[in-house]
Amino acid sequence: MIRAVFFDIDGTLMPFGAPGIPESTQAALDALTLRGIDRVIATGRHTTEIDLLPIRDVPFDAWITLNGQLCYDGQGRIFFENPLTGPEGLLQLFHEKRIPVMLVEKDRMYINFVNEKVIAAQLDIATPVPEVGEYQGASIYQAIVYVTREEQAEMARRIGDKQITRWNDRAVDIVEKGASKVTGIEKYLALKGYRREETVAFGDGENDVEMLRYVHIGVAMGNARQTVKQAADRVTASAEEDGIMKGLHELGLI
């Protein structure tokens, strides 16, 4: 029996460039609730970004944010947090201002400087360009570094032993080594007393690969990269083509 379904946001619940969640997706989410199945967000986004999206008005049973580094229950209470340890390498990159680096704290996210790469990456996810700010000593939960695939190796050497996950051709997420959306999923299952065999997940990006492999049934969206589809158990239609509704129906969950 499936007890919880985990959803990425961009390119999964919300098609890229769309003004909101498709009607079919909202209907599918409502149907899950009627079946008593938990609906959980699993995203790389920060809460301040989510607050700018139409999805902010949709109730979920939990919000796994920042790729599992800050997790909230349905009432907005934190049930797990995992700040970066030893961020000196990242901070050096941030202060050098040679490549754009965004630092993400619990209630704040800011960047060292903005260039065309930042503007293009943020446009891809329909999110405003972050404010330029200075590091003031707070815990960092995630960093976003705006580098191409060719530039990634040198950046990785500089930051030390961290988890790097690409979400855009121009940008990567950086979290604590070994951490991913799976970290938050594991904490949620422990909180609820659910088993791994009682889970499904939908995703489309490289930061969804671990999640799709971990859950009982991982479903890749039709718009996902081939590497993501290969990591999944099933492939549904694209986010624009009612992929959530079709995928849940095919699984017999709605």
Side-chain angles (χ1 to χ4, degrees):
M1 176 181 176
I2 299 301
R3 307 290 296 274
V5 183
F6 299 88
F7 298 98
D8 174 52
I9 295 178
D10 300 291
T12 301
L13 287 179
M14 289 183 58
F16 289 108
I21 297 176
E23 290 184 8
S24 66
T25 298
Q26 183 61 67
L29 292 173
D30 293 341
L32 284 179
T33 296
L34 291 175
R35 292 285 300 271
I37 298 172
D38 290 4
R39 319 178 318 185
V40 181
I41 289 292
T43 181
R45 284 187 180 269
H46 189 267
T47 54
T48 58
E49 294 178 297
I50 295 171
D51 287 343
L52 299 176
L53 301 174
I55 201 169
R56 69 184 183 278
D57 298 321
V58 181
F60 285 89
D61 294 283
W63 300 77
I64 294 170
T65 71
L66 300 181
N67 293 310
Q69 308 315 289
L70 265 174
C71 303
Y72 304 83
D73 65 17
Q75 288 71 50
R77 298 171 299 207
I78 294 174
F79 65 85
F80 176 70
E81 55 184 312
N82 186 34
L84 285 168
T85 59
E88 291 79 13
L90 270 171
L91 290 174
Q92 186 175 13
L93 285 178
F94 181 86
H95 292 307
E96 285 177 0
K97 297 185 180 180
R98 293 181 180 176
I99 57 176
V101 179
M102 184 195 302
L103 300 181
V104 183
E105 301 171 2
K106 186 176 294 185
D107 301 310
R108 177 179 176 235
M109 51 195 305
Y110 51 94
I111 196 166
N112 54 351
F113 74 99
V114 174
N115 63 10
E116 294 82 0
K117 201 175 294 181
V118 175
I119 294 170
Q122 296 303 111
L123 183 62
D124 285 345
I125 58 172
T127 301
V129 172
E131 293 184 0
V132 174
E134 296 295 333
Y135 177 65
Q136 298 174 347
S139 294
I140 301 167
Y141 289 82
Q142 178 172 284
I144 298 173
V145 182
Y146 295 83
V147 289
T148 63
R149 294 175 189 275
E150 293 74 23
E151 297 166 329
Q152 182 173 326
E154 173 62 19
M155 180 274 298
R157 183 188 66 79
R158 296 280 307 278
I159 67 171
D161 198 22
K162 301 297 178 189
Q163 188 82 19
I164 302 173
T165 307
R166 182 163 293 279
W167 57 268
N168 184 281
D169 287 336
R170 307 173 186 87
V172 297
D173 289 332
I174 297 173
V175 295
E176 194 66 10
K177 185 67 175 179
S180 70
K181 293 182 180 183
V182 171
T183 308
I185 291 173
E186 289 177 328
K187 298 299 180 180
Y188 184 74
L189 298 184
L191 180 71
K192 299 286 288 192
Y194 296 163
R195 295 180 293 114
R196 182 175 174 181
E197 293 76 17
E198 298 173 319
T199 60
V200 170
F202 286 77
D204 74 301
E206 292 184 26
N207 63 342
D208 296 317
V209 167
E210 292 90 348
M211 172 175 74
L212 297 180
R213 288 175 174 160
Y214 175 81
V215 296
H216 182 54
I217 304 174
V219 184
M221 305 301 293
N223 47 279
R225 287 181 177 272
Q226 192 60 33
T227 53
V228 180
K229 293 178 180 178
Q230 291 171 348
D233 300 293
R234 293 170 177 253
V235 178
T236 186
S238 69
E240 296 86 353
E241 298 172 327
D242 306 322
I244 297 297
M245 172 70 82
K246 291 175 180 177
L248 290 172
H249 181 74
E250 290 169 1
L251 291 173
L253 296 180
I254 59 174

